[in-house]
Amino acid sequence: MIINIPLYQLRNYPSFFELHELLFGPTYSGQLLYQLEEKKNVQILAFKEKERIVAYKLGYEVNKHTFYSWLGGVHPAHRRKGIASSLMSYQHDYCQGAGYTRITTKTTNKWRDMLILNLQHGFQIVGTYVDHEKEIKIMLEKTI
């Protein structure tokens, strides 16, 4: 079941943070709330199974026309079930209904499944750059 979690209620979902740390590590998780509080129109989608969050997708408004799809992931035991695709479709429907005309995201080659999923959902590669950790980032964009 897909749920939309308001930012102010995110602390009430410990399984969200457990999943986030499993996927991205504890250091990154500690900064997440702080980073989200600085963003505008944050959307946090989660997929719950038996009262536990097993997948999520979050993003925020860049400007009145552009939504940035920032982070997401699926617990390894729940992959290949179409959950990430469902969350992405839900996010894109929300963006279109909210009046955004473009969705942007970034990924790396190490997250190949995410890159493929983005391409399957109509994103186009619009560029690359090398980040501060000397990792190549792939920039993608979708017009909606």
Side-chain angles (χ1 to χ4, degrees):
M1 165 174 57
I2 295 176
I3 61 171
N4 196 342
I5 304 172
L7 180 56
Y8 70 90
Q9 288 186 358
L10 190 58
R11 292 181 194 275
N12 298 331
Y13 292 88
S15 63
F16 173 90
F17 293 100
E18 291 169 12
L19 176 60
H20 185 72
E21 288 188 10
L22 173 70
L23 298 173
F24 297 105
T27 303
Y28 198 63
S29 186
Q31 300 175 354
L32 183 63
L33 279 175
Y34 175 75
Q35 290 173 311
L36 286 174
E37 288 170 354
E38 296 178 337
K39 307 301 181 193
K40 186 176 179 183
N41 293 332
V42 173
Q43 184 199 46
I44 304 165
L45 298 174
F47 191 91
K48 283 177 67 176
E49 188 173 279
K50 297 180 183 175
E51 298 306 310
R52 293 197 56 80
I53 292 175
V54 299
Y56 73 91
K57 184 146 195 68
L58 61 88
Y60 55 86
E61 179 179 298
V62 174
N63 58 49
K64 68 180 185 174
H65 302 289
T66 306
F67 188 85
Y68 181 64
S69 182
W70 183 27
L71 290 171
V74 179
H75 189 286
H78 296 273
R79 292 181 181 161
R80 307 277 182 239
K81 297 178 182 179
I83 296 171
S85 185
S86 293
L87 287 169
M88 185 175 286
S89 293
Y90 192 101
Q91 183 185 68
H92 293 186
D93 289 346
Y94 159 80
C95 289
Q96 192 167 27
Y100 298 106
T101 57
R102 180 174 53 182
I103 303 172
T104 62
T105 193
K106 298 174 194 165
T107 192
T108 64
N109 208 34
K110 77 177 179 183
W111 304 114
R112 192 163 291 162
D113 288 341
M114 194 73 235
L115 175 60
I116 292 168
L117 183 65
N118 282 318
L119 294 171
Q120 289 172 336
H121 278 264
F123 280 87
Q124 300 293 317
I125 296 172
V126 295
T128 61
Y129 69 96
V130 178
D131 70 6
H132 64 279
E133 296 173 354
K134 303 208 183 312
E135 189 169 29
I136 297 173
K137 297 283 187 173
I138 304 164
M139 300 179 301
L140 299 110
E141 183 175 293
K142 177 180 179 178
T143 301
I144 53 174

